[in-house]
Structure formats: structure tokens, C-alpha cells
Amino acid sequence: MEIRNFASEAIINEVGAYVEKIVINGKDILLHGNINNPTHSGMAILVPFANRIKGGEYEFNGKKYFLNKNSEGNAIHGLIVNKRFEVINKSSNSITLSYNLKDNGYPSELNINIKYVINRESFNVEFLIKNVGSNEAPLTVGAHPYFIIEDSWKINPTQVKKCASINKIPTGELIDYEIEGNKEYDDCFYIGNQVKLDSKYSTIIIKTIKMPYFQIYTGIKGAVALEPMSGAPDAYHNYIGLDLIKSGEIKNYGFTIYS
């Protein structure tokens, strides 16, 4: 499904509310998506946890929960990347999609609404998440966009907090760190509510609401994944940025991409 605003457009897939394409002022900024491998291009949505959960299991309010594991032995990328959302509202430049998440590996049931709006110079993402189940539950929210780069790249601010990690799993400690461009990363950083990615190809600015953590991943040639998150990977264990959502409660998050 396409949404458009003059020379800007986005293509959204109902599966995973996955963003396959973003064009701002006639220029592609997102590595074109592939729904068959959504976390290696485009922009996947990560709910109710962002990136990894160590060992694919966790305990919450005295009960143990088990999640599907990847080849590393961890759970990764949330529970909705392959779930079909329902379109509940659409205009020429915006679309809202909804999905009810109920999973044996999660303590409650969530209604997840995601709204996308394409403007002439930006792409806006809004999350509205309601706990429609009977239990309190842990929650982190994230997105996994791959931005096209050319030649050298850099990120600002450079002085940030890095999530100290072992085998890509944050330990719970935040350390002072200087981000260097053109390095290999698969790491989480506390950056705050604005970050800029510069390369010869484009300048990308992301402004967030309640999503101050960013995973930086450089494993795909020609792109940098700069992933806004409300909490760190493995927040179900290390509690970095972890939200608790009570039965009947609504949580809001969001970010805007400018180019």
C-alpha cells in the first residue's frame, strides 16, 4: 500500500506493518525492503521487545516464559514481524494499521496501532499500544530501518552512552562512549531524542518521543541500520528502559525521519 505527499512516498506491507520503501523529496532513503527477510532491509517493527532476549526466555511476576530462538540461541526482533495487520484508517498520505498480539511467550494481550504519515520532508511513525489483557506485562518498542549510505558515514552526537554487552547482550551497565563513523557495529547506545546520520548520499535526522535508545548495525553493505527503541535489547533481564504496561493501560511512542 502506498501513501504519498507530492514527491515523497512510502510503501507499507500489512504483514508486520513493514515499511518497504521511503522516498523523501524524490530520493530513496531506505534500503528497499524484502518481506521475506524483513530485518535485513526496509524497516521492520519490533514489539513487544526490541532486538534480543537472552536465551529466549525470561521470568515475569513469578512465571517463566519461553520464546522462539535464533541461531545464536536468543529470541530476536519481537513477535509481530510476520503477523498480518488490519488497515483501520487510510488517506492519501497516512495509514493506520492494527494488530492484537496474543502469544504463549507473553504475559498479556496487546492491541498495537501503528500510524504512518508521509510529509514533503519527513516520515512520521506513531505507536499506540493498549494492554487489552488481564495481566501486567513488560514492554519495549523499536523499529529497524536501514538507511542507504555512500562512502564514509558519521553519526552525531558522537558522545553517547553505550550499553556494555557480552555476546551482543547488554549487561545493564551504561558507559561513556564516542561513536566513530565507518566502524562495524551491532551495539546499543543511549543517544537521546535526536540523532543525525551523514554520508555522501544523504543526511538523515531522527527525532523521537520516548525512544532514546538506538541500536546501530552495519552488517548490510551500503546501509546503516539506525534503530530507535524505547528500551535496550534484553530489557526483560537488564531493565534498561523497560516499560511496564498494566491491564487497560495505553502507551504511546513515536519518531520522525527527516531528510
Side-chain angles (χ1 to χ4, degrees):
M1 291 168 293
E2 181 184 82
I3 53 176
R4 177 179 287 275
N5 193 327
F6 293 91
S8 298
E9 65 172 315
I11 295 177
I12 316 298
N13 196 309
E14 290 166 271
V15 176
Y18 179 57
V19 182
E20 297 184 355
K21 183 178 182 179
I22 301 175
V23 176
I24 302 292
N25 272 331
K27 187 168 192 174
D28 279 293
I29 63 168
L30 200 67
L31 196 64
H32 282 197
N34 176 3
I35 192 60
N36 297 314
N37 199 2
T39 58
H40 284 76
S41 59
M43 186 174 81
I45 301 299
L46 315 178
V47 180
F49 57 88
N51 291 302
R52 296 171 177 85
I53 298 294
K54 183 179 180 181
E57 59 185 60
Y58 64 98
E59 187 173 308
F60 184 75
N61 286 346
K63 183 177 178 180
K64 200 159 192 177
Y65 294 90
F66 300 89
L67 302 162
N68 290 332
K69 300 178 184 180
N70 65 358
S71 59
E72 299 172 337
N74 303 309
I76 196 165
H77 295 146
L79 298 173
I80 63 166
V81 290
N82 62 350
K83 307 302 184 187
R84 182 170 290 276
F85 280 65
E86 176 187 1
V87 177
I88 60 172
N89 197 11
K90 188 177 186 303
S91 70
S92 60
N93 76 319
S94 70
I95 188 169
T96 304
L97 304 100
S98 182
Y99 179 74
N100 261 46
L101 171 66
K102 193 173 184 179
D103 190 279
N104 289 335
Y106 193 69
S108 197
E109 182 177 355
L110 300 180
N111 175 249
I112 302 163
N113 279 8
I114 303 170
K115 182 179 181 180
Y116 298 120
V117 180
I118 188 78
N119 296 305
R120 289 193 183 194
E121 297 181 353
S122 65
F123 182 70
N124 187 64
V125 182
E126 297 177 20
F127 298 90
L128 188 151
I129 299 176
K130 182 176 181 179
N131 186 342
V132 295
S134 56
N135 300 318
E136 183 182 50
L139 180 65
T140 52
V141 170
H144 203 307
Y146 283 88
F147 295 107
I148 299 169
I149 58 162
E150 186 178 340
D151 297 332
S152 62
W153 58 271
K154 62 182 180 180
I155 284 177
N156 280 297
T158 58
Q159 302 296 326
V160 298
K161 296 286 187 180
K162 181 181 180 182
C163 297
S165 63
I166 298 173
N167 296 326
K168 303 177 186 177
I169 302 291
T171 63
E173 181 185 8
L174 293 173
I175 57 176
D176 291 328
Y177 190 84
E178 182 176 358
I179 298 178
E180 299 178 49
N182 309 311
K183 287 187 66 175
E184 297 298 315
Y185 288 105
D186 190 1
D187 298 280
C188 172
F189 303 90
Y190 180 90
I191 297 179
N193 63 5
Q194 182 170 319
V195 63
K196 181 166 72 169
L197 169 65
D198 275 309
S199 80
K200 181 180 176 181
Y201 182 81
S202 68
T203 294
I204 301 293
I205 295 172
I206 304 177
K207 295 182 179 181
T208 74
I209 298 171
K210 295 192 287 188
M211 300 180 75
Y213 297 87
F214 285 83
Q215 185 83 5
I216 300 176
Y217 176 62
T218 58
I220 302 296
K221 187 177 180 181
V224 170
L226 185 57
E227 310 168 34
M229 305 179 296
S230 63
D234 205 35
Y236 287 12
H237 291 124
N238 59 44
Y239 309 115
I240 300 175
L242 182 68
D243 273 339
L244 300 179
I245 184 166
K246 298 177 182 178
S247 177
E249 189 176 10
I250 296 172
K251 297 280 188 179
N252 296 276
Y253 309 87
F255 62 94
T256 303
I257 300 167
Y258 299 88
S259 180

